[in-house]
Amino acid sequence: MPHDTVSGKAASATREVVNFRNTHVVLVDLGMGHLTLTGEPEAAVKVGMAQAVPDDVMINADLIKDLADVAKDQVLLQGVLMRVQESPNSSEVVTYAPFTLFPSPVPKAVFLQALAVQTHYNTLVDKISQDQDFLKEALASTIAVDDFAARLFRIHEQILKEGRSQSIVLGLNRSDYMLDQKDGASSLRQMEINTFAASFGGLSSRLPDVHRHILKVAGQLKQSQNILDNNPAAGLAKGIAKAWELYGSDKAVVMFLVEEKQRNIFDHRFIENELWMRNIPTVRKQFDDVYNTGFLDQDKRLFVDGHEVAVVYFRNGYMPQTYTSEQTWDARLLMERSRAVKCPDISTHLAGTKKVQQVLARPGVLEKFFPDQPEVVEQIRATFAGLYTLDMGPEGDQTVAMALAAPDQFVLKPEREGGGNNFYGSEICQVLEGVKDSTERMAYILMDKIEPKPVKNYLLKRDAPLQITNCLSELGTFGAYVRQGKNMVMNECVGHLLRTKSSEHSDGGVAAGVAVLDNPLLI
């Protein structure tokens, strides 16, 4: 979904243009959360038409059973697929990726707010990745107690010492939000920003047609017309293609650096196909392949298995368990030292850490990165949840006491990605009681717990019973940017992702087996 920033101000307001279903819609006063839709009147009417799925449809058991059968066939037709757990590296037997029967209601104001702020988050991540003093100071406490973060930071320092070999930077990220609805209003609150292997841009590109079809079969024609077009795969591929083009070698490949078990391969394939349609060759390799066959020539060009690599697109390497040996670390360093464009490079990887997110919430920090753009600072800060340090000292002590006194109001986050890592409620007490007087507590941050309003839906999973469930959703917006030297040549919001899970689960994503894919139905 293209996104352009329009320079200029209306009074103190910020003007953003979002391409909404092929119609440019102007959003005003985004920073304060007050959205006014202008532009073509028809577009504004369409935005406001969608309603939640009626109750009489939701509780009609015979209709639901028929719709579920149709829906499963429809996702297979659209290619919303995953390999089965029993054979994660074979496509002989596949199943549908888990998804909701109906699209979930999302307030249009916060949805458009999330789209509009994404290019600013792209810029922020890129600025952080270039600020070595900020990264060093922000991550000092984390790398003192977290071995994984420390190893990554040592690679970062080595690259800075040697000098970066590549002036092209490619960022493909996803900023994830939940809606805080404590007081009846809906406030957009950022959970995290993923700068590494932001997934489901491929599968989510095909899900709108699935939900449109289901709503039509359910007799909800008007609602079906309000499922948004969404093609993150094309936008993410556009960023990769631009980086490949700037690298300047028609024979060089885009290398997908992938896991040993590849259940989610079809999500990758959508992006691969977009690249092949542009005649950009792709290969799929693992860390072992890089270690065993990779080398740098005298110009620091990276070669793996005989291919010159223009772009390394990391879809693996964000969890400690990936780095099973020194050979894996050596392979990561080899790629970082090369002229190949890394997505993300080591600095951008570090910019997406939880600790950086917490430091950014401190007063005055955003202003450092946007010194003459108070309206941008307002737009970004408007999405922040409460974030608190657990560093040693009075401030960290106060955070510990606050969390232990009211654990149900917070989430305890370690420096880990991939879902299923956070602590809630009594778990927070168990963890903090064990580390509250130790520097080990610095490996975590504390965040306010977001309280969205549950909605009813059906979660369609392989071999799971068909039953109505109280659900919570998480909205993600995809960003793509490319910088060459000091020149930002691309900076776009390229789509969105809605993931939904049962309200009984506190944590976990689609790949973790908890959440399912969804679409927003704007209300």
Side-chain angles (χ1 to χ4, degrees):
M1 184 170 291
H3 175 279
D4 301 293
T5 300
V6 178
S7 59
K9 302 177 184 177
S12 61
T14 304
R15 291 169 54 81
E16 302 281 338
V17 175
V18 175
N19 188 315
F20 177 81
R21 296 204 66 185
N22 300 317
T23 303
H24 281 87
V25 180
V26 181
L27 316 181
V28 182
D29 286 337
L30 285 164
M32 302 305 293
H34 307 301
L35 304 191
T36 303
L37 300 183
T38 64
E40 297 183 20
E42 183 182 3
V45 172
K46 284 183 179 179
V47 171
M49 278 171 55
Q51 298 296 321
V53 177
D55 288 342
D56 61 340
V57 173
M58 296 290 288
I59 62 174
N60 186 330
D62 290 338
L63 176 60
I64 293 299
K65 184 179 183 304
D66 289 343
L67 288 176
D69 290 340
V70 170
K72 292 173 185 178
D73 289 342
Q74 192 67 19
V75 290
L76 295 173
L77 284 169
Q78 291 291 341
V80 185
L81 304 170
M82 297 184 80
R83 288 172 171 168
V84 297
Q85 196 162 5
E86 302 90 310
S87 305
N89 290 323
S90 171
S91 295
E92 292 296 317
V93 179
V94 299
T95 187
Y96 58 87
F99 68 108
T100 57
L101 181 58
F102 298 110
S104 294
V106 174
K108 64 178 178 287
V110 292
F111 176 80
L112 295 173
Q113 181 188 4
L115 294 186
V117 77
Q118 183 58 44
T119 53
H120 300 320
Y121 269 116
N122 292 348
T123 301
L124 178 60
V125 167
D126 187 50
K127 286 177 177 287
I128 292 169
S129 73
Q130 298 174 73
D131 194 328
Q132 60 193 75
D133 292 335
F134 174 80
L135 279 174
K136 185 175 183 179
E137 183 178 349
L139 294 171
S141 58
T142 302
I143 63 179
V145 294
D146 187 312
D147 289 341
F148 180 57
R151 289 294 298 263
L152 294 173
F153 195 80
R154 286 203 291 274
I155 292 177
H156 163 72
E157 288 191 309
Q158 183 169 343
I159 298 304
L160 290 177
K161 184 178 179 180
E162 294 181 4
R164 299 180 194 269
S165 299
Q166 180 54 266
S167 63
I168 303 165
V169 174
L170 167 64
L172 304 178
N173 61 58
R174 195 187 67 231
S175 185
D176 290 336
Y177 307 91
M178 293 188 80
L179 301 186
D180 203 1
Q181 298 171 307
K182 293 186 183 75
D183 304 316
S186 295
S187 301
L188 192 71
R189 293 289 177 260
Q190 188 187 56
M191 308 299 292
E192 62 182 353
I193 188 160
N194 301 277
T195 64
F196 198 121
S199 60
F200 294 107
L203 298 187
S204 62
S205 298
R206 292 300 180 96
L207 203 59
D209 282 341
V210 173
H211 277 143
R212 287 179 186 133
H213 185 76
I214 296 308
L215 288 172
K216 288 178 184 177
V217 175
Q220 306 300 310
L221 181 60
K222 286 186 177 180
Q223 285 88 336
S224 74
Q225 294 170 343
N226 286 278
I227 301 297
L228 307 184
D229 291 327
N230 186 36
N231 194 355
L236 297 172
K238 179 181 176 182
I240 297 172
K242 174 58 71 173
W244 178 86
E245 174 190 322
L246 292 173
Y247 181 85
S249 174
D250 291 343
K251 296 180 180 179
V253 302
V254 173
M255 182 175 75
F256 283 58
L257 201 286
V258 299
E259 298 171 288
E260 187 175 332
K261 294 182 178 180
Q262 300 177 46
R263 283 198 66 203
N264 200 27
I265 190 170
F266 299 104
D267 187 50
H268 304 188
R269 293 294 197 200
F270 282 111
I271 299 172
E272 288 180 39
N273 288 351
E274 291 281 348
L275 294 171
W276 279 107
M277 284 191 289
R278 293 170 168 86
N279 297 317
I280 298 174
T282 72
V283 296
R284 300 176 64 82
K285 300 295 178 183
Q286 298 178 28
F287 274 100
D288 284 349
D289 298 318
V290 176
Y291 180 81
N292 290 325
T293 71
F295 68 91
L296 306 185
D297 71 4
Q298 60 185 8
D299 297 319
K300 290 197 172 180
R301 293 184 301 171
L302 174 65
F303 290 83
V304 177
D305 200 16
H307 300 283
E308 181 182 356
V309 178
V311 178
V312 179
Y313 179 28
F314 284 97
R315 292 301 298 246
N316 187 29
Y318 52 88
M319 294 190 291
Q321 52 265 43
T322 300
Y323 297 83
T324 54
S325 67
E326 287 301 313
Q327 294 181 356
T328 315
W329 285 109
D330 290 344
R332 178 69 186 270
L333 178 59
L334 180 76
M335 290 183 282
E336 295 294 341
R337 294 181 65 236
S338 75
R339 284 185 55 202
V341 182
K342 278 74 64 177
C343 181
D345 61 24
I346 191 70
S347 302
T348 307
H349 185 175
L350 293 170
T353 52
K354 305 291 192 301
K355 185 61 181 178
V356 166
Q357 183 187 9
Q358 180 258 305
V359 171
L360 287 172
R362 290 183 176 277
V365 176
L366 282 178
E367 285 81 355
K368 169 183 170 63
F369 295 103
F370 299 97
D372 301 313
Q373 297 174 277
E375 70 282 359
V376 173
V377 171
E378 287 179 3
Q379 288 184 50
I380 295 174
R381 188 165 283 144
T383 68
F384 283 174
L387 293 156
Y388 312 96
T389 182
L390 283 160
D391 288 356
M392 305 307 290
E395 188 179 0
D397 292 343
Q398 184 178 356
T399 300
V400 171
M402 183 173 67
L404 291 175
D408 289 336
Q409 296 180 18
F410 301 101
V411 181
L412 187 66
K413 293 189 168 187
E415 198 55 72
R416 295 292 178 266
E417 303 297 335
N421 299 302
N422 299 333
F423 299 96
Y424 300 82
S426 60
E427 296 175 335
I428 293 177
C429 296
Q430 293 173 15
V431 174
L432 286 184
E433 287 290 355
V435 302
K436 64 181 181 180
D437 298 320
S438 164
T439 56
E440 291 179 41
R441 77 187 196 190
M442 299 191 301
Y444 302 87
I445 66 165
L446 192 74
M447 188 179 84
D448 285 343
K449 186 178 180 183
I450 310 305
E451 295 185 15
K453 182 179 178 181
V455 298
K456 294 189 181 300
N457 209 328
Y458 293 84
L459 307 181
L460 302 184
K461 301 181 181 182
R462 181 190 180 201
D463 297 329
L466 180 63
Q467 58 190 28
I468 198 164
T469 305
N470 283 326
C471 299
L472 303 175
S473 296
E474 186 170 318
L475 174 67
T477 50
F478 289 98
Y481 65 89
V482 179
R483 175 171 53 81
Q484 185 175 33
K486 295 183 178 181
N487 182 30
M488 187 70 84
V489 297
M490 175 183 172
N491 183 8
E492 297 182 11
C493 173
V494 296
H496 59 271
L497 168 70
L498 195 69
R499 290 166 297 170
T500 295
K501 63 187 176 185
S502 169
S503 60
E504 69 185 30
H505 293 292
S506 297
D507 197 16
V510 178
V514 175
V516 306
L517 300 174
D518 198 350
N519 269 307
L521 184 65
L522 297 192
I523 58 172

